Amino acid sequence: ERLEAAGFELVNQTPLPVACFQDASHPKGRELSYLKAMAETVVSSGKTWISITSLGDTTPALRACITNFRNREEDIDALIGLLKDARDHAS
């Protein structure tokens, strides 16, 4: 819900703690090069780690795997803040 409220679109449905998503608010938000730039910006912050994946043969997406039992809502909000900041650098 928080990702979608921030303009991201989930592209997977799974009961596992893995969210795959694209940037629905940006014209390039479904392009591999844009998503790679976003992931690099987030990872280079040193605050969290996300990756790129492909769903099916052609759907690139950012992937966040939230598995630490110590994660809190504030941690999710921090990730979303980093993703929003990365939009500016990935354009």
Side-chain angles (χ1 to χ4, degrees):
E1 292 172 353
R2 284 183 164 94
L3 280 170
E4 290 174 345
F8 295 93
E9 177 184 12
L10 289 172
V11 293
N12 71 322
Q13 296 295 323
T14 178
L16 299 174
V18 177
C20 297
F21 53 97
Q22 298 171 327
D23 188 354
S25 71
H26 193 282
K28 295 181 181 181
R30 292 173 172 78
E31 296 178 13
L32 179 60
S33 60
Y34 174 84
L35 296 172
K36 279 185 177 181
M38 283 193 72
E40 289 173 10
T41 299
V42 169
V43 171
S44 70
S45 75
K47 296 177 182 175
T48 192
W49 186 83
I50 61 172
S51 63
I52 297 291
T53 190
S54 292
L55 302 173
D57 291 335
T58 59
T59 305
L62 294 165
R63 178 179 63 190
C65 184
I66 314 298
T67 57
N68 188 325
F69 71 94
R70 294 182 184 149
N71 283 329
R72 302 171 313 215
E73 291 182 23
E74 295 84 13
D75 298 317
I76 302 302
D77 292 337
L79 170 61
I80 292 170
L82 289 168
L83 288 165
K84 287 180 177 179
D85 291 343
R87 279 182 176 140
D88 298 333
H89 295 72
S91 298

